[in-house]
Amino acid sequence: MSVLEGERRRQYLEALGVEVWVRRDLPEPQAVPPLAAVPVVGPQVAMPPVPRPAPRPEAWDALAAEVAACERCPLHEGRLNTVFGVGNREADWLVIGEAPGAEEDKRGEPFVGRAGQLLNSMLGALGLKRETVYIANILKCRPPGNRDPRPEEVVACSSYLARQIELIGPKIVLAVGRIAAQNLLEVTTPIGKLRGQVHTLGPQRIPLVVTYHPAYLLRTPSEKRKAWQDLLLARRVLEGRS
Ligand code: URA
């Protein structure tokens, strides 16, 4: 890691509220890893390696066109843009949020507002650039007034995300926020009980880790440390260490 990269990572960690210390004999800042404090209370997942699907650009193009023209639910009436998803279509990491907000609706890209900046910092703290992961939402269109997605909207939109997951073949899914977590796992359990353990998603049993939504973390910075623990847990799962 270059000095510049090290400094950027230190800034990301600081944005996450993670204590940073520098050893005199080490040029790079080190985050205090709170690994010992991360309980893995869920079932331990035996992970057979899921083969990476072959890249299918034509399938992506067809899916993107379908989403852009979607009128499956009334949300299409108020949208400026659909928000398909962005990033590396062969990513190990798939980040799934709730639904576009005003800024995302304007720009047609997920997580580009303030919450998106914090998400970028969270990824950056792991040494991940935004463009190396894939980012999508449960819904492709903005619910008015940023209200919670309705069950019928989630159902109408769900096959799009399912096809994205199939095409990407991620090694780890990070569900950010209650709405994403509960809908992906099809439960109503509070997010505080879903985080801190490893779940699996779909028939491929893709490991899934839940963390707090960055918009919530902006309002409740005291929870950032738990979010950092979730990110470390996800990385350990990806690396086969959990
Ligand atoms: N919040 C989300 O869950 N997704 C976005 O794309 C933006 C904000």
Side-chain angles (χ1 to χ4, degrees):
M1 197 185 322
S2 71
V3 172
L4 207 70
E5 281 166 344
E7 174 55 18
R8 196 168 299 137
R9 183 153 179 275
R10 195 189 60 73
Q11 287 170 4
Y12 288 144
L13 285 164
E14 249 173 39
L16 253 182
V18 174
E19 215 177 304
V20 176
W21 55 276
V22 183
R23 263 173 55 176
R24 285 208 189 136
D25 55 337
L26 277 182
E28 288 172 5
Q30 305 284 304
V32 179
L35 276 186
V38 180
V40 182
V41 294
Q44 293 297 288
V45 188
M47 276 200 305
V50 180
R52 165 84 55 210
R56 293 177 55 204
E58 70 305 327
W60 277 103
D61 291 349
L63 183 57
E66 205 182 318
V67 168
C70 181
E71 296 188 356
R72 285 185 190 174
C73 83
L75 290 183
H76 78 271
E77 288 161 13
R79 75 182 174 219
L80 294 175
N81 288 291
T82 53
V83 177
F84 180 69
V86 73
N88 177 5
R89 292 172 173 183
E90 295 171 50
D92 287 344
W93 289 78
L94 171 59
V95 179
I96 302 179
E98 177 179 331
E103 198 58 32
E104 289 77 20
D105 179 50
K106 255 188 238 155
R107 292 183 37 193
E109 184 172 331
F111 283 103
V112 287
R114 274 189 74 218
Q117 282 168 21
L118 181 55
L119 177 65
N120 294 346
S121 293
M122 291 162 74
L123 296 170
L126 286 175
L128 294 169
K129 293 203 171 103
R130 178 180 166 95
E131 58 273 20
T132 65
V133 310
Y134 198 89
I135 304 175
N137 283 311
I138 296 287
L139 292 190
K140 307 294 186 211
C141 293
R142 181 189 181 208
N146 295 338
R147 65 156 168 77
D148 286 355
R150 294 189 174 138
E152 62 274 20
E153 294 160 355
V154 173
V155 170
C157 223
S158 64
S159 73
Y160 298 138
L161 183 59
R163 278 154 72 189
Q164 285 175 305
I165 294 170
E166 202 183 304
L167 288 168
I168 297 165
K171 297 205 173 112
I172 182 83
V173 171
L174 184 69
V176 298
R178 175 182 67 84
I179 299 282
Q182 291 182 340
N183 281 293
L184 289 167
L185 298 172
E186 300 184 276
V187 295
T188 54
T189 314
I191 186 166
K193 292 217 166 91
L194 294 173
R195 61 160 296 279
Q197 49 181 308
V198 185
H199 307 268
T200 58
L201 179 65
Q204 308 101 314
R205 296 183 61 77
I206 302 166
L208 181 151
V209 169
V210 172
T211 194
Y212 291 117
H213 196 285
Y216 170 75
L217 294 175
L218 287 170
R219 297 191 301 273
T220 322
S222 56
E223 297 286 56
K224 283 181 175 177
R225 181 164 281 276
K226 288 190 196 155
W228 176 233
Q229 289 175 350
D230 298 331
L231 297 180
L232 292 176
L233 172 60
R235 182 166 68 186
R236 277 161 49 207
V237 172
L238 175 65
E239 292 174 354
R241 292 189 287 123
S242 220

